[in-house]
C-alpha cells in the first residue's frame, strides 16, 4: 500500500499567492534560492497531519502578507488504496479548520489517513539544548504512532495551567485542586505510557535494520528529584502530596512535562550531546528512518517524509545512502535544497520542483531530473 499526496493547491499561504502541484507518488525535490518559499510548501504539507505543523505556527501567522485575508490548502491524498480530499484553512482571526471528503473533522482524524515524519534545521541542536525541544520531538514521534497522543497532551497542559494558577494564587483548599489533578493524572499516565510504547517501536525498527546511519539507544528520563509516577493513581498521589513544594516554586514539579529524551550512539557508547555536529545529524536521520520503518509496519504504508535542507548537511555518499533508503521504503519524501545538484543521486526516482520569488510572491515550476 502507498501513502502519497497526488495534488495540492495553496491559496494565500505564506509567500504563495497561489500554487498548484500535480504529483505521481515519487519523492519530491524542491530547489531554489533561500527565501523563495520552499519551506512554506513543506509547512503546508505538514498541516495534512495531526498537530500544529512543522513550525508550530498560529493560524494567522500562515496568512500571506500584506493581504492577510486568510489562507487555504486543498490536497488529494492516496491512502490504503483510497482517495481522500483534505481541506484546511483559516479566516482572519479564526482558528484552523479541517474537512475530510467535504465533512468537518477534528485534526486528530487526519491521523486515520496520513502519517508524517519530519526533520527541520531547528532540530540540529536537539541534543545540546534544553529538554523542551526533545520532549516535543519525542511527542511528535509518539503522535505519529498514536494520533490521540496529541489530545492527551493538550488536556494535560490545560489542566496543568489551571493548577499552576491555583498555586500562584496560594490557594490551599484541596477541593480546588482535585478535578484538575485528576485530569492531569489521567492524561499524564496516558502520555507516559504512549511515549514508552513509541520508544519500544523505534528500538524494534532499529534492530537488525540495514542502514548507513548510526543507531541511537533512547531512554525516557526524569529529574532525580521528580521521578515520573507510572500510573494515574501514583501521579494523582504525587500531585496531592507535592502541593506545598509546588506552591513554593509557583509551578508543578512532577509529571510528564519534566521528562527528557536521552540518546546514546549505540556502537560507540557516546551520549548524543557529546557527538560532533555531523554525528548528531546522522543520529537524527537514523531516528527518522526508524520511525518511518515502524510506521510502515503499523500503518500499512510508509509515512510521508518532510526533510528541510537535509541534503546540504551530508556529503555525497551520505546523500546517496539517504536517497536509497527513502526509495527502498517507498515513501513520498518532500526534500528542499538550494540547487538541483543536491538531488542528482535520486535521478528519475523523484519529481523536481523549482521554487523562485517573483515580485514578492513565490512561484513553482515542475522541472526535469538533473
Amino acid at each position: 500500500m502507498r501513502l502519497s499526496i497526488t495534488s495540492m493547491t495553496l491559496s494565500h499561504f505564506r509567500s504563495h499567492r497561489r500554487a498548484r502541484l500535480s504529483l505521481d507518488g515519487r519523492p519530491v525535490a524542491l530547489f531554489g534560492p533561500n527565501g523563495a518559499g520552499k519551506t512554506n510548501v513543506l509547512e503546508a504539507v505538514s498541516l495534512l497531519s495531526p498537530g500544529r505543523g512543522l513550525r508550530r505556527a498560529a493560524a494567522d501567522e500562515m496568512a500571506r502578507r500584506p493581504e492577510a485575508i486568510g489562507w487555504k490548502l486543498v490536497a488529494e491524498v492516496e491512502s490504503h488504496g483510497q482517495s481522500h480530499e483534505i481541506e484546511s484553512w483559516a479566516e482572519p482571526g479564526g482558528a484552523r479548520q479541517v474537512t475530510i471528503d467535504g465533512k468537518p473533522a477534528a485534526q486528530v482524524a487526519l491521523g486515520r489517513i496520513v502519517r508524517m515524519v519530519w526533520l527541520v534545521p531547528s532540530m540540529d541542536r536537539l541534543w545540546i539544548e534544553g529538554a523542551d525541544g526533545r520532549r516535543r520531538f519525542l511527542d511528535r514521534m509518539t503522535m505519529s504512532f498514536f494520533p490521540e497522543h496529541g489530545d492527551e497532551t493538550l488536556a494535560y497542559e490545560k489542566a496543568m495551567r489551571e493548577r499552576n494558577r491555583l498555586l500562584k494564587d496560594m490557594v490551599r483548599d484541596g477541593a480546588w485542586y482535585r478535578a484538575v489533578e485528576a485530569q492531569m493524572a489521567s492524561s499524564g499516565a496516558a502520555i507516559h505510557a504512549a511515549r514508552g510504547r513509541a520508544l519500544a517501536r523505534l528500538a524494534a525498527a532499529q534492530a537488525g535494520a540495514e542502514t548507513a546511519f548510526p543507531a541511537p539507544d533512547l531512554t525516557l528520563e526524569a529529574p532525580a528529584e521528580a521521578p515520573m509516577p507510572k500510573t494515574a493513581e501514583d501521579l494523582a498521589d504525587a500531585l496531592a502530596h507535592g502541593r506545598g513544594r509546588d506552591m513554593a516554586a509557583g509551578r508543578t514539579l512532577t509529571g510528564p512535562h519534566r521528562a527528557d529524551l536521552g540518546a546514546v550512539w549505540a556502537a560507540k557508547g557516546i551520549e548524543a550531546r557529546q557527538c560532533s555536529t555531523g554525528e548528531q545529524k546522522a543520529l537524527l536521520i537514523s531516528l527518522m528512518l526508524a520511525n518511518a520503518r515502524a510506521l510502515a509496519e503499523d500503518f500499512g504504508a510508509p509515512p510521508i517524509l518532510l526533510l528541510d535542507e537535509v541534503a546540504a548537511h551530508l556529503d555525497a555518499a551520505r546523500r546517496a545512502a539517504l536517497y536509497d533508503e527513502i526509495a527502498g521504503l517507498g515513501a513520498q519524501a518532500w526534500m528542499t535544497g538550494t540547487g538541483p545538484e543536491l538531488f542528482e543521486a535520486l535521478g528519475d526516482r523523484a519529481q523536481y520542483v523549482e521554487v523562485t520569488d517573483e515580485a514578492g510572491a513565490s512561484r513553482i515550476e515542475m522541472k526535469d531530473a538533473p
Side-chain angles (χ1 to χ4, degrees):
M1 289 291 185
R2 292 293 305 274
L3 167 61
S4 66
I5 299 165
T6 56
S7 72
M8 186 171 70
T9 301
L10 306 181
S11 177
H12 290 85
F13 185 89
R14 296 284 190 182
S15 59
H16 296 269
R17 183 175 290 116
R18 183 167 178 82
R20 178 173 173 77
L21 286 168
S22 295
L23 307 158
D24 60 14
R26 287 180 290 171
V28 181
L30 299 108
F31 63 91
N34 291 329
K38 304 183 298 295
T39 304
N40 295 340
V41 176
L42 264 60
E43 181 181 25
V45 175
S46 74
L47 297 178
L48 301 176
S49 67
R52 295 176 58 185
L54 59 80
R55 282 189 174 120
R56 295 175 55 82
D60 274 352
E61 294 174 347
M62 292 181 272
R64 176 177 160 76
R65 299 292 190 266
E67 299 95 328
I69 59 174
W71 56 269
K72 185 175 185 179
L73 70 90
V74 181
E76 292 286 339
V77 178
E78 292 289 334
S79 179
H80 293 93
Q82 294 185 317
S83 179
H84 299 277
E85 183 181 70
I86 298 174
E87 296 187 22
S88 188
W89 73 94
E91 302 292 344
R96 176 181 154 208
Q97 304 293 317
V98 174
T99 65
I100 300 175
D101 297 327
K103 298 178 181 179
Q107 289 184 31
V108 70
L110 294 170
R112 295 198 296 266
I113 299 170
V114 178
R115 300 295 172 95
M116 205 171 289
V117 178
W118 59 69
L119 283 181
V120 297
S122 62
M123 294 177 180
D124 289 350
R125 297 180 60 81
L126 183 77
W127 306 117
I128 59 177
E129 293 189 338
D132 286 356
R134 289 188 290 276
R135 274 195 302 274
R136 286 194 298 270
F137 180 75
L138 172 58
D139 283 334
R140 181 69 214 176
M141 288 193 297
T142 303
M143 194 163 61
S144 74
F145 293 111
F146 316 111
E148 66 277 6
H149 180 73
D151 287 343
E152 294 287 7
T153 301
L154 289 174
Y156 179 87
E157 291 174 349
K158 180 182 178 182
M160 185 172 64
R161 286 194 298 270
E162 294 176 10
R163 185 177 187 269
N164 286 346
R165 188 163 51 247
L166 293 173
L167 294 170
K168 290 178 181 179
D169 290 343
M170 306 295 284
V171 174
R172 299 183 183 278
D173 186 346
W176 288 90
Y177 288 91
R178 292 189 189 106
V180 293
E181 288 178 351
Q183 179 63 67
M184 288 179 67
S186 174
S187 295
I191 290 167
H192 182 73
R195 287 171 174 171
R197 292 198 302 272
L199 292 184
R201 287 298 296 121
L202 290 169
Q206 288 177 156
E210 294 184 7
T211 176
F213 298 91
D217 286 337
L218 302 177
T219 54
L220 189 57
E221 302 174 350
E225 74 278 8
M228 174 63 198
K230 293 181 174 57
T231 68
E233 292 78 10
D234 288 345
L235 181 52
D237 287 343
L239 291 169
H241 287 99
R243 289 171 195 160
R245 180 194 62 174
D246 293 352
M247 191 175 294
R251 60 190 178 93
T252 301
L253 297 176
T254 301
H257 64 287
R258 299 292 310 279
D260 196 358
L261 178 65
V264 173
W265 184 334
K268 294 186 176 183
I270 302 174
E271 291 186 17
R273 62 185 177 86
Q274 296 176 334
C275 291
S276 70
T277 301
E279 289 170 338
Q280 290 175 354
K281 185 74 172 184
L283 288 170
L284 281 173
I285 292 173
S286 179
L287 272 177
M288 180 271 297
L289 292 170
N291 196 171
R293 286 192 295 271
L295 281 171
E297 294 178 5
D298 294 357
F299 188 60
I304 292 171
L305 307 179
L306 306 182
L307 306 175
D308 193 17
E309 300 291 348
V310 69
H313 301 284
L314 301 174
D315 59 32
R318 276 276 172 85
R319 284 201 299 270
L322 174 60
Y323 299 155
D324 287 345
E325 293 202 36
I326 289 170
L329 273 169
Q332 186 186 51
W334 294 64
M335 298 166 284
T336 67
T338 52
E341 70 280 358
L342 293 170
F343 304 105
E344 280 187 56
L346 273 166
D348 61 6
R349 294 180 294 178
Q351 291 183 276
Y352 297 85
V353 180
E354 184 175 19
V355 185
T356 55
D357 180 83
E358 294 186 2
S362 294
R363 180 176 181 272
I364 62 174
E365 183 179 359
M366 303 298 296
K367 294 288 185 177
D368 295 330

